[in-house]
């Protein structure tokens, strides 16, 4: 896995949402059990990066006791979450230019100030009119692998 390869030209960019975004072209069950029980942190954000949907694994990765606590904290993918600001800039530039980020590895700050290495996969979510509704993605905790 190459942490410098933030996007891939052949990637298919998702342009539809699930029920995370009002007015999105697709609705339906978000595979509730899978969403709640996966080890990957799954999220949806508004266009500004504020997390609007999160599963329990994302809360654990970011150091919160529950997804409810994470959402109540108005957590966001903003520079303060990233240990290195340049990583935040790389992610947001890639999303602006390509609508997708794949396998980008970086350190994030947890609620208690400790850090964890993650691999991020994120895509822009657009309405049928092309308007940006937000972003959907996942974080995988890769700290153990990074320590080897």
């Amino acid at each position: 896995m190459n942490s410098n390869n933030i996007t891939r030209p052949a990637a298919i960019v998702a342009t539809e949402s699930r029920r995370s975004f009002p007015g999105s072209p697709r609705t339906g069950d978000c595979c509730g059990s899978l969403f709640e029980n996966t080890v990957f942190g799954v999220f949806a954000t508004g266009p500004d990066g504020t997390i609007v949907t999160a599963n329990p694994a994302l809360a654990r990765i970011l150091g919160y006791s529950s997804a409810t606590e994470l959402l109540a904290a108005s957590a966001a993918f903003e520079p303060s979450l990233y240990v290195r600001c340049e990583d935040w800039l790389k992610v947001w530039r890639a999303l602006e230019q390509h609508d997708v980020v794949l396998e980008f590895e970086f350190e994030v700050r947890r609620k208690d100030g400790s850090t964890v290495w993650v691999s991020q996969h994120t895509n822009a979510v657009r309405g049928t009119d092309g308007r940006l509704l937000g972003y959907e993605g996942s974080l995988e905790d890769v700290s153990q692998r990074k320590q080897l």
Side-chain angles (χ1 to χ4, degrees):
M1 203 177 306
N2 180 351
S3 63
N4 294 325
N5 185 13
I6 196 165
T7 64
R8 292 187 195 148
I12 298 172
V13 178
T15 57
E16 295 184 345
S17 172
R18 291 163 193 78
R19 62 187 201 188
S20 304
F21 298 98
S24 64
R26 199 166 95 193
T27 60
D29 182 8
C30 278
C31 305
S33 175
L34 179 62
F35 179 80
E36 293 297 320
N37 298 316
T38 185
V39 296
F40 299 101
V42 179
F43 61 87
T45 75
D48 66 350
T50 300
I51 300 169
V52 297
T53 302
N55 72 343
L58 183 69
R60 278 191 303 278
I61 290 169
L62 297 178
Y64 290 85
S65 62
S66 68
T68 302
E69 180 190 12
L70 173 66
L71 295 173
S74 299
F77 286 92
E78 58 188 21
S80 64
L81 181 67
Y82 294 72
V83 171
R84 285 173 293 286
C85 189
E86 60 268 19
D87 290 337
W88 177 82
L89 290 170
K90 286 178 186 177
V91 168
W92 288 101
R93 284 183 186 141
L95 287 170
E96 286 176 351
Q97 294 172 2
H98 306 288
D99 274 3
V100 67
V101 169
L102 298 172
E103 298 178 354
F104 184 62
E105 294 182 359
F106 57 95
E107 278 184 286
V108 294
R109 282 189 184 82
R110 302 180 82 214
K111 178 185 170 190
D112 66 2
S114 64
T115 62
V116 62
W117 278 94
V118 296
S119 177
Q120 181 176 359
H121 297 76
T122 303
N123 61 270
V125 178
R126 298 192 177 275
T128 55
D129 60 357
R131 184 176 51 86
L132 179 66
L133 299 174
Y135 301 95
E136 290 181 332
S138 66
L139 291 183
E140 177 184 5
D141 182 342
V142 295
S143 297
Q144 287 185 344
R145 180 174 50 78
K146 294 296 267 190
Q147 292 175 358
L148 296 177

